[in-house]
Amino acid sequence: MKGLYNLLAIALFLTLAACGGSDECVVKCDIEGLGNKRIEVMYADRGVKRLSFHPVDGKVEMRMSLPRPTMLEAFTLDNTPLFCIIARDGEEISVKMKLGEPASLKVEGNEPSAAYAAIVSANDSILRHGTEAEVNALVAREIKAAPGSMASTMLLINHFRTPGHELSADSLLNTILPEARPVWLSGSYASLLGTQIAASVKNEIPNISIHTGNDTTVRFNSAMQSYGLLVFSDTRKPDSIVDRLKSLRKDMPLRRLAIVDISLARDSARWKETVATDSAIWQQAWAPGGAGAHQIRTLSIPTVPFYIVSDSSGHYVYRGRSLYTADTLLRSRLATSVKPSKDDDSDPPADTIKKAEPEPVAKPKEIPPVQEHNPHKKTIVKASTHLK
């Protein structure tokens, strides 16, 4: 009898084990050129989770427990992106690709993952090297073509250049059918998008006063000039950005345009090291606390670099990641103010001030000498050589 109970227990254990195995999500990868490099898989489930898998000759079978549909992003150990899929328990998904060639990606196992991989593969060049406008146009076109596919939501979240285009992103999100943008997939993105839109709708920039140390305080008040340009960064800026800022500062009178460069770097030492070697001719400051600082938090800075242009009433004129767009907009609006009129008392940029030349001193008028009258002195008149 005891042997029978043991057999029943073993049979029950094997049955439960088999059920547990079938309920897992299985992702079979075959990545040419990967070798034995470790794969890192990240996904959100009550926080961000990270799992590691070790392939052999580029092949690995990844098993994980995903009770509900989840978006997985896979990277190599050095954070090179590999693929992005949606998976859940009970599904078996096949991924094939060549390392470093996103256009070679092929995914099978469910519709959203396969459709998303096909779009990424077919448009690899634009997604990796296209301009902001080209990428956003591609995403919008694909979403409008397949509003009922979760692949559209994946494309919006992963590839749409959202900063500065929040209203367009919100419109595209609402173009996708509700069943194709479930909360578990789009919730975080929609929440962040709502914060950015709220900042834009509020449409006002408070006065900013940042103490940068050494008894120096950088202040920004929209009403003190026609326009203001706020530059947010966290690392040393490329020469192209520095040159454009210099050009703007030199071309625009100080009372027409204020430029304030605010660093959101984690520590002031890094910021001081950066500004010590540059040749900025505009205001620079470091915000303790970064994007979460009290005065910066209300501006809802989603990423860096980021640029805000405001008018004299403190309203947003531009919010986005393109300094070129901000530059073009400012030059267009200030075109009539670049050359001040004679009655314009605005201060010119510091490096364009020239020393005034001293006014010439007027020479005193010459007083003709007084001729002495002598009636006995003969006056000699020369005859003209021209006869009438």
Side-chain angles (χ1 to χ4, degrees), residues 248-269:
L248 263 175
R249 180 67 287 155
K250 289 180 179 180
D251 293 346
M252 303 296 174
L254 292 175
R255 292 188 184 177
R256 294 289 183 265
L257 174 66
I259 300 177
V260 182
D261 183 357
I262 302 175
S263 172
L264 303 181
R266 293 183 179 180
D267 58 85
S268 60

Side-chain angles (χ1 to χ4, degrees), residues 380-387:
I380 299 175
V381 179
K382 292 183 179 181
S384 174
T385 56
H386 297 279
L387 301 176

Side-chain angles (χ1 to χ4, degrees), residues 46-337:
R46 297 179 182 178
V48 177
K49 292 190 176 181
R50 193 177 190 116
L51 302 176
S52 296
F53 299 92
H54 300 270
V56 176
D57 296 330
K59 298 180 180 181
V60 63
E61 187 174 283
M62 302 187 296
R63 293 178 175 271
M64 58 197 86
S65 177
L66 302 173
R68 63 178 184 175
T70 304
M71 187 168 71
L72 308 174
E73 294 182 84
F75 305 84
T76 61
L77 186 59
D78 59 359
N79 286 324
T80 299
L82 291 174
F83 58 85
C84 178
I85 60 174
I86 285 179
R88 68 177 305 171
D89 287 346
E91 291 184 335
E92 182 174 300
I93 297 176
S94 168
V95 177
K96 292 184 179 181
M97 66 178 297
K98 293 181 180 179
L99 184 64
E101 297 183 20
S104 65
L105 178 64
K106 292 183 179 180
V107 176
E108 297 177 351
N110 62 39
E111 185 276 333
S113 300
Y116 175 77
I119 294 172
V120 171
S121 176
N123 300 281
D124 169 57
S125 179
I126 293 177
L127 292 175
R128 286 203 294 170
H129 308 296
T131 64
E132 186 176 85
E134 290 173 336
V135 172
N136 285 357
L138 167 64
V139 173
R141 185 170 62 249
E142 293 293 340
I143 289 175
K144 291 174 183 178
S149 173
M150 286 187 193
S152 293
T153 305
M154 295 172 67
L155 198 62
L156 178 64
I157 294 172
N158 293 331
H159 295 285
F160 191 80
R161 310 286 178 84
T162 304
H165 304 281
E166 287 85 356
L167 292 177
S168 296
D170 184 63
S171 176
L172 289 173
L173 184 61
N174 285 287
T175 297
I176 301 172
L177 300 180
E179 59 269 24
R181 50 176 169 89
V183 174
W184 58 264
L185 178 59
S186 64
S188 297
Y189 180 79
S191 178
L192 179 61
L193 194 59
T195 301
Q196 295 303 309
I197 292 174
S200 298
V201 171
K202 188 177 181 182
N203 199 19
E204 65 177 21
I205 297 179
N207 294 339
I208 297 175
S209 179
I210 302 175
H211 182 69
T212 61
N214 298 327
D215 297 325
T216 301
T217 300
V218 172
R219 292 183 174 87
F220 174 77
N221 186 333
S222 300
M224 299 301 292
Q225 58 281 314
S226 301
Y227 291 92
L229 172 60
L230 300 180
V231 179
F232 297 92
S233 60
D234 67 347
T235 57
R236 186 176 183 84
K237 288 178 284 298
D239 291 340
S240 58
I241 292 180
V242 173
D243 290 344
R244 189 175 291 278
L245 289 174
K246 283 183 179 179
S247 178
L248 263 175
R249 180 67 287 155
K250 289 180 179 180
D251 293 346
M252 303 296 174
L254 292 175
R255 292 188 184 177
R256 294 289 183 265
L257 174 66
I259 300 177
V260 182
D261 183 357
I262 302 175
S263 172
L264 303 181
R266 293 183 179 180
D267 58 85
S268 60
R270 185 178 182 184
W271 170 70
K272 289 178 180 178
E273 182 181 345
T274 300
V275 300
T277 57
D278 65 18
S279 54
I281 51 177
W282 53 87
Q283 293 192 91
Q284 294 177 294
W286 171 70
H294 174 66
Q295 297 184 75
I296 307 301
R297 187 168 60 247
T298 58
L299 299 175
S300 297
I301 307 302
T303 184
V304 289
F306 198 74
Y307 307 94
I308 292 178
V309 177
S310 66
D311 60 18
S312 59
S313 63
H315 292 159
Y316 292 117
V317 177
Y318 172 74
R319 284 174 55 90
R321 297 187 63 182
S322 173
L323 179 57
Y324 171 79
T325 301
D327 183 328
T328 304
L329 178 65
L330 284 167
R331 291 183 185 278
S332 173
R333 295 202 173 203
L334 292 169
T336 57
S337 302

